[in-house]
Amino acid sequence: MKTPLVEMDGDEMTRILWKKIKELLIEPYVELRTEYYDLGLRHRDETGDRVTADSALATKKYGVAVKCATITPNEQRMEEYGLHEMWKSPNGTIRRILDGTVFRAPILAKGIRPYIPGWKKPIVLARHAYGDVYSAADVLAERGEKVYLVGEDAEGKETFRRLVHDFKGEKGMVQGMHNTESSVRSFAHACFRYALEENLPLMFASKDTIAKIYDGQFKKIFNEVYEEYRAEFERRGLWYLYTLIDDAVARIIRSEGGILWACKNYDGDVMSDMVATAYGSLGMMTSVLVSPDGKYEYEAAHGTVTRHYYKYLRGEETSTNSVATIFAWTGALKKRGELDGIAELVAFAERLERATVATVEAGEMTGDLIPLWCGDAAPKKLDTEGFLRAVASRL
Ligand code: NAP
Ligand code: MG
């Protein structure tokens, strides 16, 4: 490798997978050059979370990163790890620095039947990773309070005042959220570009019948941006559809896949878990953050698989699916190889992907996939390391 790959290590069961994947599937075959950042919660705490920002800045510099799942601390984690602060979600921090769009795609294997049998091809989901409820002003309202939405110009002069609610006789809660034209516009560009890169039609949905102004802006901006891509879409026989989120959900369920589904931030959060689960297992879903200036960060879509980790710590057998984490590595190696013109690296990554899928297709898999198996022979359940060794022997 010429340019270092930014490596972001993580937590719990996925940290165990990480080490084993490198040891069994990567290091024996690749002269791996990484710039290593330990995003494990302990080290984030020791560095005052500086390491997370540093890893994102390194991604900006080098262009490609591979990330292990990480714990987003909550009250319980504060206690468990004796943290100095409740550090923010590392993914959130990295997304803010790279200003990117997250694309999530399932890995399909013959013999693994999706819960929705009509889905024959991947549904790739793009989540707008900025604003809305994720950076909202969230407040409790006291009895008798009137809550307004107020605008001020640069001189501090009031430009508008709108009553949100008059909490006459009861307490309640209010939320003020925002988005920006430029963020929605760059999200739209990212989606149309990715659709062309992957040769997929694109659907975008919101609720502009209710949020006429807020979601209306999303719709308008997407339609405007589409005009820049329309000719190429039409030339390739691809389509772009704007519709209401309820209709989009119905269309997705009825479809056979092979669509890029662009979602607003919250829809993407929820729907990506639904789509991942419906394809079989969270362990089969990959994710890539693409920034507007073409920086890529690859990871598995699932978390640190805490429940399995505690079994592992007790010395019990675990059967954790490593497919998505393997594909995070292959995605990153392929992209690094493409950018640096190293054909062997690209070819290796593709071989590793084929070996991984072939292992599952041969009926050798982790426990999460067993109930989904519809192949001829009886499936063989492997433990965490057993699966990685089965892939290694095919490789
Ligand atoms: P999770 O780690 O995704 O696991 C939820 C459940 O899904 C697991 O208990 C397991 O079900 C199943 N599962 C997920 N991945 C699997 C795999 N690779 N193989 C087999 N089964 C798998 O979500 P969570 O338990 O809600 O969150 C755990 C921690 O991860 C949290 O601290 C959270 O902050 C963090 N997290 C990080 C990221 C990220 O870094 N991108 C994303 C989400 C969550 P069974 O227990 O039924 O086997
Ligand atoms: Mg979610």
Side-chain angles (χ1 to χ4, degrees):
M1 289 175 69
K2 293 176 194 159
T3 319
L5 182 64
V6 179
E7 176 183 353
M8 305 169 174
D9 206 345
D11 289 299
E12 300 194 312
M13 200 60 206
T14 40
R15 190 178 180 99
I16 310 289
L17 293 179
W18 197 257
K19 193 159 169 279
K20 282 284 161 202
I21 289 171
K22 282 176 68 180
E23 187 186 308
L24 295 173
L25 301 177
I26 316 261
E27 282 164 350
Y29 309 98
V30 179
E31 280 173 40
L32 192 62
R33 253 188 92 191
T34 72
E35 197 165 293
Y36 179 84
Y37 292 87
D38 183 1
L39 267 52
L41 185 51
R42 250 173 253 291
H43 192 241
R44 271 182 276 151
D45 195 49
E46 280 161 20
T47 60
D49 207 23
R50 184 68 229 167
V51 65
T52 306
D54 286 347
S55 73
L57 294 171
T59 308
K60 254 185 181 294
K61 177 171 166 198
Y62 295 117
V64 187
V66 58
K67 181 181 170 290
C68 179
T70 45
I71 292 170
T72 298
N74 53 17
E75 286 295 347
Q76 185 251 319
R77 300 292 197 173
M78 292 283 289
E79 212 166 292
E80 183 182 354
Y81 284 80
L83 301 178
H84 294 100
E85 256 182 63
M86 202 189 290
W87 307 110
K88 291 208 167 102
S89 148
N91 285 40
T93 302
I94 296 165
R95 275 201 299 259
R96 264 191 301 282
I97 293 176
L98 293 177
D99 176 31
T101 298
V102 178
F103 296 91
R104 269 181 162 198
I107 301 145
L108 303 193
K110 284 189 215 84
I112 301 298
R113 193 199 347 235
Y115 282 103
I116 305 198
W119 290 0
K120 309 274 188 244
K121 293 183 254 171
I123 292 165
V124 181
L125 201 138
R127 173 177 170 189
H128 181 213
Y130 176 82
D132 299 352
V133 296
Y134 298 86
S135 49
D138 217 17
V139 281
L140 287 174
E142 292 304 324
R143 195 187 304 269
E145 267 178 341
K146 284 195 188 102
V147 178
Y148 295 92
L149 199 59
V150 180
E152 266 178 18
D153 65 16
E155 277 72 51
K157 197 172 127 264
E158 193 168 305
T159 49
F160 66 85
R161 168 172 293 257
R162 197 136 312 153
L163 181 68
V164 176
H165 191 70
D166 182 351
F167 292 87
K168 281 187 191 113
E170 53 180 1
K171 295 186 191 182
M173 47 276 180
V174 278
Q175 192 173 60
M177 63 180 194
H178 83 285
N179 223 298
T180 65
E181 275 219 30
S182 68
S183 174
V184 177
R185 198 170 292 280
S186 77
F187 174 55
H189 277 290
C191 291
F192 286 113
R193 248 187 265 131
Y194 189 91
L196 290 177
E197 247 180 63
E198 301 291 319
N199 219 35
L200 292 170
L202 174 67
M203 177 162 72
F204 174 61
S206 75
K207 193 77 181 175
D208 69 293
T209 44
I210 303 297
K212 289 192 170 64
I213 293 179
Y214 199 102
D215 284 6
Q217 283 303 106
F218 277 79
K219 174 181 178 179
K220 181 174 146 266
I221 292 166
F222 259 78
N223 285 343
E224 281 169 17
V225 172
Y226 177 53
E227 289 312 315
E228 296 179 36
Y229 297 87
R230 180 191 284 278
E232 187 56 22
F233 266 63
E234 286 175 355
R235 198 182 66 77
R236 300 216 210 154
L238 297 173
W239 45 262
Y240 163 63
L241 173 72
Y242 172 83
T243 185
L244 288 173
I245 185 69
D246 346 31
D247 178 51
V249 171
R251 282 173 189 269
I252 286 290
I253 297 293
R254 285 197 306 262
S255 83
E256 61 160 29
I259 300 180
L260 172 59
W261 184 14
C263 287
K264 288 181 63 194
N265 209 350
Y266 180 81
D267 297 336
D269 186 347
V270 178
M271 289 305 159
S272 57
D273 286 332
M274 189 203 70
V275 170
T277 309
Y279 269 110
S281 166
L282 273 176
M284 300 290 278
M285 188 63 98
T286 59
S287 161
V288 55
L289 175 74
V290 185
S291 79
D293 52 346
K295 314 292 183 204
Y296 297 78
E297 183 236 332
Y298 293 83
E299 66 173 327
H302 58 77
T304 59
V305 211
T306 310
R307 206 180 65 83
H308 296 209
Y309 181 58
Y310 283 108
K311 277 176 78 177
Y312 169 87
L313 289 182
R314 288 194 299 268
E316 293 169 31
E317 188 192 287
T318 58
S319 182
T320 311
N321 192 334
S322 49
V323 171
T325 307
I326 295 172
F327 271 68
W329 274 96
T330 56
L333 292 174
K334 255 196 287 189
K335 184 55 78 181
R336 193 66 274 166
E338 277 169 25
L339 294 175
D340 291 355
I342 312 174
E344 298 93 316
L345 191 57
V346 177
F348 167 75
E350 284 170 352
R351 259 197 315 277
L352 177 51
E353 289 184 352
R354 283 199 300 276
T356 306
V357 171
T359 302
V360 174
E361 292 183 343
E364 297 174 47
M365 63 197 75
T366 45
D368 54 316
L369 299 179
I370 300 280
L372 303 164
W373 178 251
C374 62
D376 297 331
K380 187 164 145 206
K381 179 179 167 181
L382 300 175
D383 65 14
T384 304
E385 185 165 339
F387 180 79
L388 290 168
R389 292 198 179 276
V391 174
S393 71
R394 267 194 184 72
L395 185 65

